[in-house]
Amino acid sequence: SSDLPDYYESVIKVFVDLYKKGKIYRGKRMINWDVRAKTALSDEEVIHKEVAGKIYHLRYKLDVPSEEYITIATVRPETILGDSAICVHPKDDRYKDLVGKFAFVPLINRRIPIIADDYVEIEFGTGALKVTPAHDMNDFVLGQKYNLEVIDTMNDDGTLSEAAGLYIGQDRIEVRKIITKDLDAAGNLVKIEDYTHQVGFSERTDAIVEPRLSLQWWVDMKKLAAPALEAVMSDEISFHPAKFKNLYRHWMEGIKDWCISRQLWWGHRIPAWYDEEGNFYVAHNEAEVNANYPETIGKKLTQDADCLDTWFSSWLWPFEVFKGLSNPGNAEVNYYYPTSTLVTAPEIIFFWVARMIMAGEEYMGKIPFKDVYFTGIVRDKQGRKMSKSLGNSPDLLGLIDQYGADAVRFGIMIASPAGNDLLFDESTLEQGRNFNSKLWNAAKLLKMWEPRISNEGKVPEDAAFAMDWFQAKLSATQLEVDEMLKTFRLSEALKTIYGLIWDDFCSWYLEWIKPGFEQPMHQGVYERTVEFYDALLQLLHP
């Protein structure tokens, strides 16, 4: 597209602008690391699943004259090679005499301190926690609090590094099996218990995510979140269904900084340049670096090899697709921004919806849309999310060939309450096909009456009453459906129209006005019925 360079430049412009405002920074922090894609992930790209695992009880020899041990419980024995301390609760009577003393990490005999902090749960496991700052988010916080050594025992592909001292180059999942046997042989394994816990997986590759200390680029989200939170809480932006409002509030109030650098060659390259001493300079291009920082002239500069998270460009979409940033105040953006309704899936409420609101407030000074309609996830009859890997996704074109396009539309819509998952069942498509047949047969019946139309005499009393009755039904339903569409209750609207057509129009009204055997059809009744039928099709059309 000829518009792409403008959009690209706008993304770079936003990065530079937020950096100058102090809303983007470069720092070494704990991140989620995808060992398969070899890239950092944001918190929202980690899918937590309940996994049946094991909890390992290991004993660490104490650095005291007697042969005493302290036992810890862990689900990841392979990470003991990066242990920097053992932590207990300060009020745990079992260990209060050990605080300030030392223990030895099994197999490698590294001497580590025993510290006390109320972060530890007395009742969980043995009440003694191994602290591995380089490989656990919470342990990293403890490590910083007590100035513990950070030992990164893992390479970017999930294999153990030289710093581990043992099992170098072997995958961490395989090392778990090997080290368990070695700990048992060394007398350090007390017992193994079954344990179900939450494990993070990469949304992109489904690899088990590794917490890792890494130097990355970050957006300070707290500096951007407040206007976007207020816009939804004050109902300036309405969520449909409204239940997602609380989810949004909970996430926004506890928002964390956004890791925006990715180690994938896909996306916008980070506009930062490094000199040979490791100093970095943020600018639109290298010429601007030299212009703004004279000390870089003549030096060899290297651009950052990382790319931006794809959502860093997507959050500009509502206005930059109309060049609202690259050509401010142009006719298109003035006409189309803000838009009215965003239709999207709830799983990207934080990836995209929240960030578009933030970017709109930051760069346009107003919200990007008034309403957000959240669709549900399509699942099979067993409740499983439809996916290629499971092979449970129907062939949509095949279903259209089998049932008809309108029947497929009907079947999906009738089972799609806003924001709730759709349990797909072909029986709803059969219902849609039957409904289409009902409409067709009603039209066919009207056409059969055409040769019998007569304008003689008055409209029969029964037919006059039927027309008044159905007109009242139709008018009430039109108002009801209009309100449902305004509030995005689309499935309810379809069910209401379905009942009006199937029961009130076909089963009652048409039977009521049907002329007797070889009797004429009054022209006024016929024309009014055609008007009703046309109004029903218009009501059904959306």
Side-chain angles (χ1 to χ4, degrees):
S1 168
S2 59
D3 292 338
L4 191 59
D6 290 334
Y7 201 107
Y8 185 96
E9 288 303 321
S10 294
V11 174
I12 301 305
K13 180 179 180 180
V14 167
F15 184 99
V16 174
D17 176 68
L18 291 178
Y19 176 77
K20 288 179 179 177
K21 291 176 178 176
K23 296 177 181 179
I24 280 182
Y25 65 93
R26 185 170 180 259
K28 197 169 189 179
R29 297 178 53 183
M30 290 297 290
I31 58 159
N32 303 294
W33 183 260
D34 184 332
V35 299
R36 192 168 296 159
K38 298 181 184 177
T39 184
L41 304 172
S42 66
D43 289 345
E44 293 74 46
E45 292 170 286
V46 179
I47 308 301
H48 291 277
K49 303 177 187 178
E50 198 170 79
V51 172
K54 306 285 184 184
I55 188 163
Y56 302 82
H57 292 252
L58 309 175
R59 60 181 197 165
Y60 289 49
K61 189 178 184 309
L62 296 171
D63 188 13
V64 294
S66 59
E67 288 289 316
E68 291 185 46
Y69 292 85
I70 182 170
T71 301
I72 62 96
T74 180
V75 295
R76 303 193 62 196
E78 70 278 7
T79 64
I80 69 169
L81 304 173
D83 286 357
S84 294
I86 292 173
C87 190
V88 297
H89 195 283
K91 294 182 180 178
D92 194 333
D93 292 335
R94 294 172 296 177
Y95 304 119
K96 62 182 180 181
D97 293 338
L98 295 180
V99 176
K101 293 186 169 60
F102 294 83
F104 295 98
V105 178
L107 303 182
I108 55 175
N109 292 319
R110 183 190 301 119
R111 187 171 178 263
I112 58 174
I114 299 172
I115 61 176
D117 193 277
D118 55 13
Y119 165 74
V120 178
E121 295 179 31
I122 295 176
E123 296 80 14
F124 178 76
T126 65
L129 174 79
K130 72 184 210 63
V131 184
T132 317
H135 300 292
D136 184 273
M137 301 285 187
N138 296 316
D139 287 9
F140 178 72
V141 174
L142 277 175
Q144 287 201 312
K145 186 175 180 180
Y146 295 98
N147 197 29
L148 300 175
E149 184 182 4
V150 178
I151 306 165
D152 187 354
T153 63
M154 210 164 291
N155 296 314
D156 60 6
D157 61 355
T159 59
L160 267 63
S161 67
E162 295 280 347
L166 299 172
Y167 317 110
I168 297 165
Q170 294 179 263
D171 185 81
R172 82 264 193 234
I173 303 299
E174 290 304 312
V175 169
R176 183 176 302 176
K177 302 172 187 175
I178 301 167
I179 199 171
T180 302
K181 293 178 182 177
D182 291 347
L183 288 166
D184 189 23
N188 295 106
L189 180 63
V190 178
K191 62 178 178 178
I192 302 174
E193 296 175 324
D194 291 331
Y195 181 63
T196 301
H197 60 132
Q198 293 283 325
V199 175
F201 289 80
S202 168
E203 184 195 45
R204 184 188 299 270
T205 66
D206 202 39
I208 294 175
V209 168
E210 288 293 337
R212 194 178 188 201
L213 186 62
S214 183
L215 187 61
Q216 303 285 343
W217 290 93
W218 305 80
V219 176
D220 188 338
M221 298 296 272
K222 289 182 175 63
K223 293 180 178 178
L224 294 170
L229 175 60
E230 175 60 24
V232 174
M233 290 302 100
S234 65
D235 292 323
E236 188 182 3
I237 296 175
S238 299
F239 283 177
H240 308 275
K243 67 180 182 180
F244 288 108
K245 184 175 176 180
N246 282 333
L247 179 67
Y248 179 87
R249 177 185 58 79
H250 177 74
W251 184 77
M252 292 289 279
E253 286 179 348
I255 199 165
K256 297 178 182 177
D257 287 358
W258 174 18
C259 178
I260 55 170
S261 47
R262 297 290 180 271
Q263 291 66 50
L264 300 170
W265 273 85
W266 179 261
H268 303 74
R269 196 167 173 187
I270 288 174
W273 281 260
Y274 300 84
D275 62 23
E276 292 171 323
E277 287 78 42
N279 302 308
F280 67 88
Y281 310 90
V282 172
H284 291 83
N285 49 54
E286 189 171 339
E288 189 177 282
V289 172
N290 293 149
N292 292 344
Y293 305 96
E295 67 271 24
T296 64
I297 296 173
K299 287 187 177 181
K300 181 183 178 183
L301 298 176
T302 306
Q303 188 176 353
D304 198 311
D306 289 353
C307 292
L308 289 164
D309 179 8
T310 184
W311 299 105
F312 193 86
S313 56
S314 300
W315 70 337
L316 309 182
W317 185 253
F319 53 86
E320 187 49 25
V321 73
F322 305 115
K323 301 187 180 182
L325 190 64
S326 53
N327 182 19
N330 72 76
E332 270 202 331
V333 77
N334 287 342
Y335 182 82
Y336 287 112
Y337 188 94
T339 58
S340 56
T341 304
L342 172 70
V343 180
T344 189
E347 60 260 35
I348 57 173
I349 188 171
F350 311 125
F351 283 116
W352 197 36
V353 179
R355 290 170 181 164
M356 282 193 288
I357 298 172
M358 291 181 205
E361 294 275 18
E362 179 77 10
Y363 288 101
M364 301 300 291
K366 50 189 173 182
I367 57 173
F369 28 72
K370 180 70 183 72
D371 293 286
V372 183
Y373 175 79
F374 292 106
T375 61
I377 296 170
V378 183
R379 300 183 182 274
D380 62 19
K381 286 189 286 186
Q382 299 176 45
R384 301 176 303 174
K385 185 176 179 179
M386 288 193 170
S387 68
K388 292 177 183 176
S389 59
L390 289 176
N392 60 347
S393 299
D395 176 3
L396 183 59
L397 295 178
L399 292 175
I400 290 172
D401 289 341
Q402 185 178 354
Y403 295 99
D406 282 330
V408 174
R409 293 189 184 103
F410 175 97
I412 291 173
M413 186 60 68
I414 203 78
S416 305
N420 293 324
D421 290 353
L422 188 165
L423 294 178
F424 180 77
D425 189 336
E426 279 197 38
S427 63
T428 61
L429 307 190
E430 292 173 11
Q431 184 185 5
R433 182 171 58 188
N434 295 340
F435 181 55
N436 290 342
S437 297
K438 195 78 168 177
L439 281 168
W440 172 261
N441 287 330
K444 191 175 177 183
L445 182 63
L446 291 176
K447 297 296 287 182
M448 286 170 57
W449 290 341
E450 277 186 357
R452 299 159 63 182
I453 291 175
S454 169
N455 200 23
E456 295 180 7
K458 293 182 179 181
V459 172
E461 273 188 41
D462 282 358
F465 179 83
M467 288 188 293
D468 290 344
W469 171 80
F470 189 75
Q471 180 62 66
K473 279 277 187 182
L474 177 63
S475 297
T477 303
Q478 285 171 329
L479 290 173
E480 193 179 353
V481 167
D482 188 49
E483 188 59 34
M484 287 175 177
L485 292 180
K486 284 178 183 175
T487 54
F488 299 89
R489 290 146 56 203
L490 309 182
S491 181
E492 289 180 56
L494 180 55
K495 288 173 183 175
T496 301
I497 300 168
Y498 176 84
L500 178 70
I501 292 173
W502 191 284
D503 297 326
D504 298 323
F505 184 71
C506 293
S507 298
W508 284 98
Y509 175 76
L510 291 181
E511 292 299 321
W512 216 333
I513 64 163
K514 184 190 295 184
F517 182 66
E518 294 187 350
Q519 295 297 308
M521 162 59 74
H522 194 282
Q523 185 173 349
V525 177
Y526 178 80
E527 289 175 353
R528 188 77 180 280
T529 303
V530 171
E531 289 174 6
F532 286 153
Y533 189 85
D534 186 59
L536 291 174
L537 291 183
Q538 290 186 42
L539 192 60
L540 186 62
H541 173 260

